[in-house]
Amino acid sequence: MKIATWNVNSIKARIGNVLDWLKQAQPDVACLQELKTVDDAFPRDVIEELGYNVAVHGQKTYNGVAVLSKVPFDDVIIRLPGDGSDEQARYIEVVVTPAKQPVRIASIYLPNGNPVETEKYTYKLSWMDRLIDHAQHLLEYEEPLVLAGDYNVIPTPDDVHNPEGWSGDALFRPETWHKFRQLQSLGLTDAFRACDATPHRYTFWDYQGGAWQKDHGIRIDHLMLSPQAADRLKTCDIDQHVRAWERPSDHVPVWIELDV
DNA sequence: ATGCCGGGCGAAGCCCGA
């Protein structure tokens, strides 16, 4: 089972690229982020025509997450628990059951958090606390679980071109690393690092300053796996060629192959 | 590079992203 995550930076602007990539990459499940549109405006029909079931949690202008799956959903949950006043569309979780057993998959868009001296960073940290609590709960099911998405976390200096330049940034701060390590300490595995120790492999390149051409990127899109998923992990890779397409997203797809 | 792109909104120029 191939499971991918991709921050598309507007599904309306990116639908051509998304359809081309779906046809080429043939993921069984695709977690999308930053749709920047409401549910009713999501281009559901053209995606369903490729054989996908669609679960969307959209929002006008900002955020928005979706899961596309060739296997129908058994269950769909929107919103991360822990703060009923949080209106931002950053979390959708589904359960699918391919041949053998259920697999729980979430598409997450973790807050950026900049600038750090504002409520944006406290929102990021509290959102991470909620994710830790929810992950702890989900891990109790002891089933294959994949928390995939744009984490807006650069895990280590090996995951950025110029660590010095990112010092103090919300994606690269001790408090952010601490929360990310808490997730890992619960038993969640960074799928890419479980497969590939190569430093300086990236999933995002800024539109500005020729960042893509110079390979000045960061690795911030992650698939975090429960032990039951990690045991079945076959491969993980980054579809970085998609960044060179016409009108690209600034992020590229990351995917895993699970033996389920 | 606290904004060089790029997208949304909405019809110019500001807000936002990472």
Side-chain angles (χ1 to χ4, degrees):
Chain A
M1 183 182 213
K2 183 172 181 177
I3 304 170
T5 180
W6 188 12
N7 177 323
V8 296
N9 185 18
S10 170
I11 189 63
K12 289 183 200 166
R14 219 65 60 207
I15 186 60
N17 282 11
V18 169
L19 294 175
D20 288 347
W21 172 76
L22 287 171
K23 289 176 201 164
Q24 180 181 99
Q26 289 290 324
D28 296 290
V29 177
C31 300
L32 307 181
Q33 301 90 33
E34 248 196 305
L35 307 176
K36 295 186 170 178
T37 192
V38 294
D39 293 12
D40 288 346
F42 187 89
R44 174 182 288 269
D45 294 353
V46 288
I47 290 172
E48 286 177 343
E49 280 170 20
L50 296 184
Y52 288 96
N53 300 275
V54 176
V56 187
H57 182 209
Q59 181 182 335
K60 184 179 166 69
T61 310
Y62 304 113
N63 310 315
V65 285
V67 183
L68 321 178
S69 173
K70 290 191 172 176
V71 178
F73 308 118
D74 299 341
D75 208 358
V76 177
I77 297 145
I78 60 166
R79 301 186 188 282
L80 186 61
D83 181 359
S85 68
D86 185 358
E87 299 288 324
Q88 301 190 28
R90 295 179 176 275
Y91 187 90
I92 186 167
E93 174 189 317
V94 306
V95 179
V96 297
T97 305
K100 297 173 193 168
Q101 63 184 315
V103 182
R104 190 176 298 265
I105 300 165
S107 177
I108 81 167
Y109 180 39
L110 209 147
N112 174 301
N114 282 305
V116 293
E117 302 304 330
T118 68
E119 69 288 343
K120 295 198 175 201
Y121 193 54
T122 49
Y123 174 65
K124 176 178 193 157
L125 294 178
S126 66
W127 206 95
M128 292 183 85
D129 280 333
R130 289 163 58 198
L131 183 62
I132 291 161
D133 288 346
H134 189 54
Q136 189 162 29
H137 164 66
L138 294 180
L139 284 163
E140 291 172 4
Y141 292 129
E142 300 190 339
E143 63 189 11
L145 166 71
V146 182
L147 302 179
D150 176 0
Y151 278 72
N152 273 311
V153 174
I154 302 168
T156 78
D158 278 353
D159 301 308
V160 52
H161 167 258
N162 60 334
E164 312 77 24
W166 285 83
S167 175
D169 190 278
L171 283 67
F172 198 61
R173 285 180 65 86
E175 301 94 321
T176 306
W177 290 325
H178 176 66
K179 305 273 185 219
F180 192 70
R181 273 199 299 270
Q182 278 185 268
L183 272 177
Q184 294 172 302
S185 299
L186 293 176
L188 291 172
T189 298
D190 175 349
F192 183 76
R193 276 293 171 245
C195 292
D196 192 337
T198 312
H200 308 298
R201 292 289 315 276
Y202 307 129
T203 65
F204 168 94
W205 296 260
D206 201 287
Y207 289 120
Q208 303 172 82
W212 164 246
Q213 288 75 12
K214 295 187 243 176
D215 197 26
H216 292 180
I218 51 180
R219 192 175 70 89
I220 57 174
D221 299 272
H222 309 299
L223 296 106
M224 304 300 288
L225 310 183
S226 70
Q228 294 77 12
D231 285 348
R232 294 165 176 78
L233 178 62
K234 296 202 304 198
T235 55
C236 179
D237 210 345
I238 302 169
D239 281 348
Q240 65 180 69
H241 65 282
V242 172
R243 186 63 177 79
W245 288 1
E246 289 287 312
R247 279 192 85 193
S249 170
D250 37 10
H251 298 248
V252 297
V254 187
W255 56 270
I256 57 173
E257 185 77 37
L258 284 188
D259 185 18
V260 292

